[in-house]
Amino acid sequence: MSDHHRHCFLLKGSPNEVLSDFLTLSKHFSTPLVAAYDVSQYDTALLSSTTPFITCSFKQALQQLGRSHEAILVDLTHGVSASALAILSGTVRGNGLFAIALPNDEWLSMADQDLSRYLPWPYEPEQVTSYFKHYLLNKLQDETSPFTLLRSSKNKKHSVNPLPALKPIEPNAPLTQEQAEAQSCLLAELAKSYVLIAPRGRGKSTLLGDSLAKLLGRGRRVAITAPNQEAILSLRSRFESTLSQIGIEYELPFFAPDALINAPTEWDFLFIDEAAMIPLPMLMALNKKATHCLFSTTNYGYEGAGKGFGIRFCHDLSVQKTTQNLALQELTLNQPIRWGGNDPLENWINDCFFLAATDSHTIDSIDENTTKPATEFKRLTGENWLTHSDKLADTFNLLVSAHYQTSPDNLRWILDDPSVSTYLLLDKDQVQSVAIITEEGDLPAALSQEVMQGKRRPRGHLVAQSLLAHEGINNAGQYRYWRISRIATEQTQQNKGLASQLLTYVENSASEGCDFLCTSFAASYDVVSFWLKNGYVPVRLGTAKDKASGCYSLMMVKPITEQASKLAIAWRARFIEHFLLNLLLQYSDLATNLIMLILTPKCDLRENLPALAQLSEQDLQDIVLFVEHHRPFDSIRAVFLKAMLFLTLKGLLSPNNPTEKLALEVALGRETKPTLQNAQLSGKKAMHQSFKSLLQKKLF
């Protein structure tokens, strides 16, 4: 193809037939790749094949990031992976071959081996209609599809002609104008941090490898890291060829992310490739290891980080304190290099899986003299999406833009999981807010018992299983939960109460057939505040931080029935009792303002205070002796802890008051220097005097 576009074929037939056609088409290409859910039959065929090829299961597809192929066959006969399709299509060179294999007939009714990971207990793939397969087949057969159908038949000979060989890749091709401009920004060394965001095939690896070599040639101390070395093969190749031109011999300075963080070495430049695949807390730690850091990533698509990576991470970098001229400089590459512009395969993949960047849709202005249209709510499930493709696009783009790790596989989850319902809030038929609900619980008693004992872990049912296995609530499995798995609001419409309106609609819809609404999320102050405002109460806090967010996971519930309301009181009381003890045992790094928020009193849940927060007559006497006389502070530390927990649970301490925040931190034995400075207290004597005033005001 003179336009450097990829050749796309839809091959139909038996595995042997489509493999034969594929190998004929790719006869002049180097080492074709065959990918499938299970590649064992192709590994067997390879033993007797006269044409060499390599295989890759869908689970191994992520390892292909950063690589380049001339021909790929993706067999979807026995299993479909949206992420594998997206990843592998992005590795095919211009004028190369990307083929999809399907059986001649009955594909929609065939069992899908990849479907089970999307289904909660007790569903099995044979019981479920895959609406995602219907969706994908419609896309493959659509008039905008770039795929040419090639059907094999035992009774009919057809002619398959090999595609022309590709020109060799120029080993050290000059940088494009875009790449050169981005490199000039790097070599100017004006910013503390650089973020390079671009779609696949834009030459990020070439730019990084070339820049790394040139910085090394300038005598800079440089290093590179990535989730794995396989992801930087193209980068390594360019690094070595550029160094050869400069006349330097040097091994690529690659280090694992954790090794860089733990080592004392400081670098002039540190490059982090495929950054969106690395947890945010680790990225921030890496940012401290060099004078200049470059974070390279694809903002849309395969890493499953969604636009949230760009929004949140770039904000954190932009507000960092630095001695450099700039805290952050953002770079981008738009022109494709691996294939031609406006490539039909790239357009199809982006359209099919909503991978391309989209601008937030604008809301039509409403004349003040006209009546604003009533807000409309809509509920959609698997089959409904096939006739609401416009809403599917809006919904998925909204999720990608939110702070979620949204990947193409989530599209299949929404379409194929029978327990999933999607609720939309629309204005003028435009999606403004979305909530994805999964129905959980109602587990048999025997299964619940085995879950609590750690013997079983059925698919799905996150809240019921966690309350059973981690909190030991023996009747938690019998109740029915609607878990708000995802919730997002269009960016220009946030902080207007739309998400809360949508939650109210969901709650009204759940009035029959549900005991609890619930949610589980990475706990930050703003998000916890949102759920508390909507009447949810905490019942469990995870014991390990989420790798992606660096936050502890908080589980909250909102009772729907009278019986559930009684249970929620008991569950929260038990959680608070354990939480107070765990603050001293395992949550030393939990933010003080978040602690105070979690302990926020609920007037509708009037449980008794835990023993650790109850003050006896003797305790009050000890406090009086400290406040009004000369009792040393160190002699009442235990009583002071009880007093601070008492005041927090009563809602009498505010995280916005530095002195009150300091008091709780001291009570918990925490590092207090920053808060002490914020409270404008000069030393220990002034601090103790502030505690006396606080106790006098709040307790007496």
Side-chain angles (χ1 to χ4, degrees):
M1 289 185 181
S2 58
D3 48 18
H4 209 49
H5 293 164
R6 278 84 60 86
H7 300 271
C8 302
F9 283 90
L10 178 60
L11 307 180
K12 287 194 173 185
S14 68
N16 288 335
E17 290 169 340
V18 297
L19 179 61
S20 175
D21 288 344
F22 171 68
L23 293 178
T24 300
L25 286 166
S26 58
K27 180 179 179 180
H28 301 312
F29 295 155
S30 65
T31 320
L33 172 69
V34 177
Y37 175 83
D38 180 0
V39 293
S40 57
Q41 61 182 342
Y42 288 106
D43 288 335
T44 301
L46 181 59
L47 298 175
S48 58
S49 175
T50 56
T51 305
F53 61 90
I54 56 177
T55 61
C56 165
S57 71
F58 290 158
K59 290 181 180 179
Q60 300 167 323
L62 204 60
Q63 299 173 12
Q64 299 302 318
L65 288 174
R67 301 188 183 189
S68 180
H69 295 284
E70 296 189 1
I72 292 180
L73 171 66
V74 181
D75 188 348
L76 303 181
T77 302
H78 299 294
V80 183
S81 170
S83 288
L85 273 172
I87 291 169
L88 295 172
S89 68
T91 67
V92 178
R93 288 179 54 196
N95 292 325
L97 167 63
F98 186 76
I100 289 177
L102 292 178
N104 270 320
D105 301 297
E106 307 300 330
W107 179 61
L108 293 177
S109 60
M110 290 177 64
D112 189 302
Q113 294 175 329
D114 200 45
L115 181 56
S116 60
R117 65 189 176 105
Y118 300 94
L119 303 179
W121 181 93
Y123 291 104
E124 296 296 339
E126 297 77 14
Q127 304 170 303
V128 174
T129 299
S130 174
Y131 297 110
F132 176 75
K133 288 173 70 172
H134 284 78
Y135 168 81
L136 185 60
L137 188 59
N138 289 341
K139 288 290 187 181
L140 285 168
Q141 297 174 341
D142 187 80
E143 60 181 14
T144 62
S145 169
F147 290 88
T148 300
L149 175 62
L150 193 59
R151 188 187 295 270
S152 298
S153 173
K154 294 180 180 178
N155 302 320
K156 181 180 178 181
K157 297 287 185 181
H158 60 269
S159 176
V160 179
N161 298 314
L163 297 170
L166 304 187
K167 294 179 181 179
I169 298 176
E170 191 175 345
N172 210 25
L175 297 180
T176 66
Q177 182 177 344
E178 272 191 326
Q179 289 174 318
E181 289 173 356
Q183 187 176 81
S184 295
C185 292
L186 289 173
L187 299 183
E189 302 183 31
L190 295 178
K192 161 62 182 171
S193 304
Y194 300 86
V195 173
L196 172 61
I197 296 177
R200 288 284 160 202
R202 267 57 182 177
K204 295 190 300 297
S205 296
T206 296
L207 172 61
L208 265 62
D210 194 84
S211 301
L212 203 62
K214 287 176 179 174
L215 286 166
L216 193 64
R218 290 184 172 193
R220 302 293 188 268
R221 295 168 299 164
V222 299
I224 172 114
T225 189
N228 56 72
Q229 291 203 54
E230 287 73 21
I232 58 167
L233 294 178
S234 299
L235 186 155
R236 181 187 295 273
S237 176
R238 181 65 182 222
F239 172 80
E240 292 172 350
S241 61
T242 302
L243 270 191
S244 177
Q245 283 191 338
I246 298 174
I248 299 176
E249 287 188 14
Y250 199 89
E251 183 73 21
L252 180 73
F254 177 87
F255 301 90
D258 55 349
L260 279 171
I261 292 171
N262 295 328
T265 311
E266 296 289 332
W267 307 91
D268 295 320
F269 255 97
L270 174 59
F271 286 14
I272 300 94
D273 199 15
E274 305 293 358
M277 296 174 66
I278 297 174
L280 283 172
M282 187 173 281
L283 292 178
M284 295 307 294
L286 288 168
N287 191 52
K288 298 176 181 178
K289 301 301 293 187
T291 306
H292 307 278
C293 279
L294 168 64
F295 301 90
S296 172
T297 190
T298 302
N299 202 26
Y300 307 96
Y302 320 134
E303 287 94 341
K307 199 174 178 181
F309 172 84
I311 295 171
R312 176 177 172 181
F313 185 53
C314 288
H315 174 266
D316 290 346
L317 293 179
S318 67
V319 298
Q320 66 181 320
K321 294 181 180 179
T322 177
T323 57
Q324 303 299 320
N325 291 19
L326 300 170
L328 170 66
Q329 188 167 13
E330 296 184 50
L331 312 172
T332 189
L333 300 172
N334 295 309
Q335 186 64 32
I337 295 176
R338 191 173 294 162
W339 49 77
N342 197 30
D343 179 74
L345 175 58
E346 181 179 37
N347 293 340
W348 184 83
I349 288 286
N350 287 345
D351 176 66
C352 192
F353 302 124
F354 314 112
L355 297 179
T358 56
D359 295 327
S360 297
H361 52 252
T362 57
I363 307 303
D364 297 334
S365 60
I366 299 173
D367 192 291
E368 291 183 2
N369 297 320
T370 63
T371 303
K372 185 176 180 179
T375 301
E376 180 189 359
F377 297 95
K378 189 181 291 286
R379 175 182 179 269
L380 295 171
T381 58
E383 187 175 11
N384 304 142
W385 290 115
L386 299 181
T387 53
H388 290 81
S389 57
D390 57 332
K391 295 294 182 290
L392 181 61
D394 290 345
T395 296
F396 206 79
N397 283 323
L398 190 51
L399 292 175
V400 168
S401 299
H403 297 268
Y404 298 117
Q405 291 192 314
T406 305
S407 77
D409 283 337
N410 294 139
L411 180 60
R412 178 160 208 191
W413 168 61
I414 292 172
L415 288 171
D416 282 355
D417 184 346
S419 73
V420 167
S421 300
T422 303
Y423 287 79
L424 306 177
L425 184 153
L426 303 105
D427 176 57
K428 289 186 161 183
D429 206 40
Q430 293 181 321
V431 177
Q432 301 301 312
S433 194
V434 55
I436 299 182
I437 312 299
T438 58
E439 296 183 34
E440 302 180 350
D442 199 17
L443 302 177
L447 178 58
S448 295
Q449 184 72 11
E450 290 182 310
V451 169
M452 193 163 63
Q453 294 171 346
K455 296 178 180 178
R456 291 279 302 276
R457 190 176 179 181
R459 299 184 306 270
H461 304 277
L462 173 68
V463 171
Q465 288 204 69
S466 188
L467 293 178
L468 285 165
H470 302 132
E471 298 302 311
I473 302 174
N474 58 14
N475 60 349
Q478 73 185 58
Y479 298 104
R480 298 159 299 174
Y481 306 85
W482 279 22
R483 179 165 65 90
I484 295 91
S485 178
R486 305 278 176 96
I487 187 164
T489 297
E490 202 277 325
Q491 196 172 354
T492 64
Q493 299 301 301
Q494 291 176 1
N495 300 313
K496 296 182 179 181
L498 298 184
S500 295
Q501 289 181 45
L502 185 55
L503 285 178
T504 300
Y505 180 77
V506 170
E507 182 177 346
N508 293 335
S509 302
S511 58
E512 293 185 12
C514 176
D515 299 296
F516 294 94
L517 295 177
C518 57
T519 183
S520 181
F521 56 91
S524 64
Y525 190 87
D526 291 343
V527 181
V528 176
S529 297
F530 167 79
W531 289 107
L532 285 171
K533 180 185 71 174
N534 282 282
Y536 290 69
V537 297
V539 292
R540 169 170 165 74
L541 186 68
T543 55
K545 287 186 174 182
D546 174 72
K547 289 183 179 180
S549 66
C551 300
Y552 290 100
S553 178
L554 184 65
M555 194 170 289
M556 303 180 75
V557 302
K558 184 174 186 178
I560 298 296
T561 65
E562 184 177 345
Q563 171 65 15
S565 296
K566 296 176 182 177
L567 290 168
I569 292 173
W571 292 357
R572 179 183 185 269
R574 178 178 169 85
F575 164 72
I576 294 297
E577 181 183 3
H578 290 177
F579 180 59
L580 296 183
L581 291 169
N582 284 328
L583 284 174
L584 305 173
L585 298 174
Q586 60 188 34
Y587 295 127
S588 59
D589 55 351
L590 191 64
T592 308
N593 61 349
L594 190 54
I595 293 172
M596 300 172 83
L597 189 64
I598 290 173
L599 294 176
T600 297
K602 296 293 295 181
C603 59
D604 55 331
L605 296 180
R606 297 177 290 276
E607 67 271 11
N608 293 324
L609 289 177
L612 197 57
Q614 293 181 16
L615 294 172
S616 66
E617 290 297 325
Q618 179 66 55
D619 294 333
L620 292 171
Q621 179 181 308
D622 290 342
I623 292 173
V624 169
L625 290 171
F626 167 68
V627 171
E628 299 181 0
H629 301 283
H630 303 287
R631 180 79 177 263
F633 176 75
D634 287 344
S635 71
I636 65 153
R637 284 289 299 273
V639 176
F640 187 70
L641 171 61
K642 294 169 71 175
M644 290 304 103
L645 295 178
F646 171 85
L647 293 174
T648 304
L649 283 166
K650 288 291 186 180
L652 297 174
L653 296 185
S654 168
N656 299 319
N657 185 311
T659 301
E660 295 175 6
K661 185 178 176 183
L662 174 66
L664 182 59
E665 288 181 352
V666 169
L668 293 171
R670 296 187 163 206
E671 168 60 43
T672 59
K673 188 174 181 180
T675 312
L676 191 65
Q677 292 174 345
N678 290 336
Q680 298 181 329
L681 297 173
S682 57
K684 184 179 289 188
K685 185 176 181 180
M687 181 177 70
H688 288 170
Q689 187 59 48
S690 73
F691 293 165
K692 291 182 179 184
S693 300
L694 174 64
L695 291 167
Q696 178 72 48
K697 179 181 178 181
K698 301 291 185 179
L699 284 180
F700 304 113

